[in-house]
Amino acid sequence: MKPQSTHEVTNQTPPLEGYNLFASDPVLAAAVDREGAHWHAEALVRDGARIGKPEILALAELANRHAPELFTYSPRGERIDTLEFHPSWHRLLELLREEGLHALPFSEPRPGAMVARCAGYFLHAQLESGSLCPLTMTFASIPVLRREPALFAALVDKLYSREHDPRDAPLDEKRSMLVGMGMTEKQGGSDVRSNRTRAFALDRGGRGNAYRLVGHKWFFSVPQSDAHLVLARAADDEGLSCFYMPRFAPDGTRNAIQIQRLKDKLGNRSNASSEVEFLDAFGIMIGEPGRGVPTIIEMANYTRLDCVIGSAALMRAALVQAIHHARHRMAFGKRLAEQPLMRNVLADLALESEAATLLFMRLARAFDAHLAADAGELGADSDAERAWRRIVTPAAKFWVCKCALEFTGEAMEVLGGNGYVEESPMARFYREAPVNSIWEGSGNVMCLDVLRAIERDPPGMQALLAQWRRNTDGHAVLGTALAELEALLGGPPDAREVLARRLAQHIVLCAQAVSMLEAAPAASADAFIATRLGQGAGRCGRVYGTLPASFDHSAVIARAFEH
């Protein structure tokens, strides 16, 4: 007897694929043009189309389902500490390097190069997060390594190469390289000044000379990298120094870095993070002795910007999935996107995503100004641009990365049960969301960095406030918010630390409000400012979907995702 069908499958949302991630994002496209990277738009259109193809989107799920494996010993019992990745991981890294996202502003310097790189990074971060880690660290290592001319000359071709070379071999035999980081230890975490790893000079010691390192790292990112930058103490009476530690020693043997295990992480599963021990590992001191933390801070500034971009990209990826679902799914006789309360939620999410995008692109402009100043362009890095980079970047890292957790959860709720299962990318987005809040300094660390940056650069903060006042265009709500910010800044010094989170939040919301006024439709900017900084902000709380009833929710949703 022929079995009967129990039901017909209807009212299910088709997969979101075959779309152009750049062309369907008018906010990003306009920001690329406004911030000086119009020359890169054609490459972004091409890359956006490639990322949206079904076979490329599938790489993300494969790379996260087939996590990296550690092989400590060879079949003959030799210590090898090597990792094996699924081919999808290597394809993802190929795509990233082909677009120059590991080095573009340094390898091909020109006005707007940092903006171009950040836009491309944002597109790829919507595809898969774990593969970004090695690219971010390699990128951030370049300005540090460039300050060591002899070492950099030996590495530059492989650092700048647009080819991904996955071989675990001495660097002389490879066509490209990746650079990782190893900063934190068991006893300290973010308090790297408590690090106990020791460095012993092989000869005279000092900058540019060889050392042997003994100690451990509790989080050693991307252990398969061709080199790592690490912190160690070369003398009891001085601070930490920074060292370049290659995967292979100068004689071609594996450096004495033993991988104890890989971290079993909540998310970021495609990427390997490890615990290691150094047993007389070879390293070269970079920067001045005892000045390792200031040396590495420059690297951290770039990685923190990438954390902001990565979180903004998770928000964007979750948003387009939610809008796509709402445009197809029927409930109670209407499509979800036609229902007033759902439109309010989606429009509110769209405004949050837009503000995050505008913020990181504005920060990219400030980093471009810094690179121009480094290249000798007089007056490029003004007090205000310096403040955007030094003060707003950690505030943005604190706030946008925090928002991504709530945002991805809300977007998942739009899909309901279908969003909660592993077949949906929403589960992966949600698991990825916390990492950027933790990596490179958790929330309190960021807020204290904001406080220190303000205290060290009062002219920068004043220039930033002056710039924002000029850009308010007489906006009453934002004008009041800026006055409140100035009052916070002028409060009792002994109360600033306990209020550091409030201060950082206020700074970044003002920065986003100014950016929205500059670039978003007036109605969108007004709605964002009213619900985040206005008198109604307290009543709205942190729940999405509380925009005014009179707001044109449909127009914002249509503009957010043109597909």
Side-chain angles (χ1 to χ4, degrees):
M1 182 177 177
K2 184 178 179 181
Q4 294 181 342
S5 174
T6 62
H7 65 284
E8 180 184 358
V9 178
T10 63
N11 197 27
Q12 286 288 314
T13 303
L16 176 56
E17 57 189 24
Y19 71 106
N20 189 312
L21 276 71
F22 182 73
S24 61
D25 188 348
V27 172
L28 180 65
V32 166
D33 186 62
R34 184 176 58 255
E35 305 296 359
H38 53 278
W39 49 269
H40 197 60
E42 186 175 335
L44 292 168
V45 170
R46 172 185 48 75
D47 197 30
R50 178 167 64 171
I51 295 171
K53 292 179 179 179
E55 62 270 24
I56 300 299
L57 292 170
L59 296 173
E61 191 274 331
L62 285 169
N64 281 269
R65 177 152 48 92
H66 300 283
E69 292 184 79
L70 170 64
F71 294 88
T72 309
Y73 294 94
S74 75
R76 295 174 298 279
E78 304 158 314
R79 185 86 193 204
I80 56 174
D81 293 293
T82 192
L83 281 81
E84 184 177 292
F85 290 83
H86 190 268
S88 57
W89 166 265
H90 294 300
R91 180 61 181 136
L92 288 166
L93 288 178
E94 286 175 359
L95 294 171
L96 287 160
R97 279 200 96 112
E98 285 172 12
E99 296 303 316
L101 303 180
H102 63 295
L104 182 63
F106 305 114
S107 60
E108 302 172 37
R110 60 183 294 182
M114 188 67 179
V115 170
R117 185 261 175 186
C118 289
Y121 187 97
F122 178 67
L123 296 180
H124 280 260
Q126 294 174 55
L127 171 62
E128 204 281 319
S129 297
S131 54
L132 301 174
C133 186
L135 266 290
T136 285
M137 292 189 298
T138 301
F139 177 74
S141 74
I142 292 173
V144 176
L145 294 171
R146 286 204 306 179
R147 302 193 188 283
E148 304 296 326
L151 177 61
F152 187 69
L155 304 177
V156 60
D157 290 344
K158 293 178 173 63
L159 280 170
Y160 287 176
S161 170
R162 290 203 175 196
E163 181 178 358
H164 170 58
D165 188 340
R167 292 175 297 161
D168 189 15
L171 191 56
D172 288 346
E173 301 174 16
K174 296 188 64 174
R175 296 181 294 276
S176 66
M177 70 180 297
L178 294 172
V179 180
M181 292 170 59
M183 302 298 156
T184 60
E185 298 181 3
K186 292 184 178 77
Q187 70 281 352
S190 295
D191 182 13
V192 295
R193 296 181 192 277
S194 69
N195 282 10
R196 298 173 184 166
T197 295
R198 292 300 304 267
F200 304 93
L202 294 179
D203 190 5
R204 59 180 180 171
R207 186 171 188 168
N209 290 303
Y211 284 75
R212 58 182 179 87
L213 278 71
V214 179
H216 83 281
K217 296 297 171 186
W218 186 231
F219 279 90
F220 196 68
S221 299
V222 194
Q224 77 277 14
S225 295
D226 300 284
H228 282 77
L229 298 184
V230 303
L231 294 175
R233 201 175 303 278
D236 291 333
D237 60 350
E238 66 183 26
L240 295 165
S241 298
C242 186
F243 295 86
Y244 170 86
M245 180 182 285
R247 180 151 171 77
F248 286 81
D251 63 2
T253 61
R254 289 184 185 276
N255 207 352
I257 307 166
Q258 291 194 350
I259 303 175
Q260 304 305 305
R261 62 173 177 169
L262 300 184
K263 297 288 192 181
D264 186 7
K265 297 172 293 185
L266 166 68
N268 211 245
R269 294 177 178 175
S270 68
N271 178 46
S273 303
S274 65
E275 301 165 20
V276 299
E277 291 185 350
F278 306 144
L279 295 88
D280 286 336
F282 174 84
I284 298 172
M285 183 182 286
I286 60 176
E288 295 298 329
R291 298 288 295 166
V293 173
T295 298
I296 217 70
I297 282 297
E298 183 172 11
M299 188 175 184
N301 287 336
Y302 286 98
T303 56
R304 288 171 179 176
L305 175 60
D306 276 5
C307 286
V308 178
I309 304 170
S311 290
L314 282 174
M315 293 161 70
R316 173 69 187 174
L319 172 68
V320 298
Q321 289 286 343
I323 293 176
H324 175 72
H325 178 80
R327 286 171 175 169
H328 288 84
R329 181 75 166 178
M330 298 285 292
F332 310 113
K334 291 190 294 186
R335 296 190 189 278
L336 291 177
E338 297 170 349
Q339 302 190 19
L341 185 53
M342 180 59 76
R343 284 203 302 262
N344 198 328
V345 171
L346 292 173
D348 211 356
L349 291 170
L351 291 184
E352 193 72 50
S353 175
E354 179 168 2
T357 300
L358 294 178
L359 180 62
F360 82 72
M361 290 294 277
R362 179 61 183 85
L363 289 171
R365 187 206 307 176
F367 276 79
D368 259 329
H370 176 60
L371 294 176
D374 260 5
E377 187 178 321
L378 296 178
D381 201 14
S382 65
D383 287 348
E385 294 305 308
R386 186 178 66 248
W388 273 99
R389 196 175 69 256
R390 292 182 179 175
I391 297 172
V392 182
T393 297
K397 200 268 190 190
F398 162 70
W399 183 249
V400 176
C401 296
K402 282 261 187 286
C403 286
L405 278 78
E406 181 186 12
F407 190 106
T408 51
E410 188 71 62
M412 180 187 291
E413 193 173 324
V414 173
L415 274 69
N418 283 356
Y420 194 69
V421 296
E422 291 294 339
E423 286 90 343
S424 165
M426 300 297 280
R428 174 164 47 85
F429 298 158
Y430 190 68
R431 283 198 310 272
E432 289 290 352
V435 69
N436 287 325
S437 273
I438 296 169
W439 190 55
E440 286 304 314
S442 56
N444 282 359
V445 173
M446 289 300 97
C447 293
L448 293 174
D449 276 2
V450 171
L451 214 56
R452 278 190 289 269
I454 292 170
E455 290 168 354
R456 290 173 181 171
D457 189 11
M461 189 69 235
Q462 290 305 312
L464 191 64
L465 286 169
Q467 183 186 84
W468 288 352
R469 286 192 214 97
R470 289 194 299 271
N471 292 346
T472 58
D473 195 28
H475 195 286
V477 176
L478 182 51
T480 300
L482 288 173
E484 292 171 353
L485 175 57
E486 290 190 81
L488 271 175
L489 291 168
D494 58 351
R496 285 178 189 156
E497 183 170 333
V498 74
L499 296 175
R501 282 192 171 217
R502 183 185 297 181
L503 179 62
Q505 175 182 334
H506 212 82
I507 286 172
V508 74
L509 285 175
C510 286
Q512 288 184 315
V514 169
S515 297
M516 290 287 283
L517 276 178
E518 180 184 15
S524 294
D526 286 343
F528 179 86
I529 294 168
T531 50
R532 273 69 171 180
L533 289 167
Q535 290 184 347
R539 293 192 296 274
C540 295
R542 289 178 52 82
V543 178
Y544 291 106
T546 58
L547 295 173
S550 58
F551 184 65
D552 191 348
H553 308 97
S554 297
V556 172
I557 297 166
R559 176 171 170 269
F561 184 35
E562 295 182 346
H563 174 68

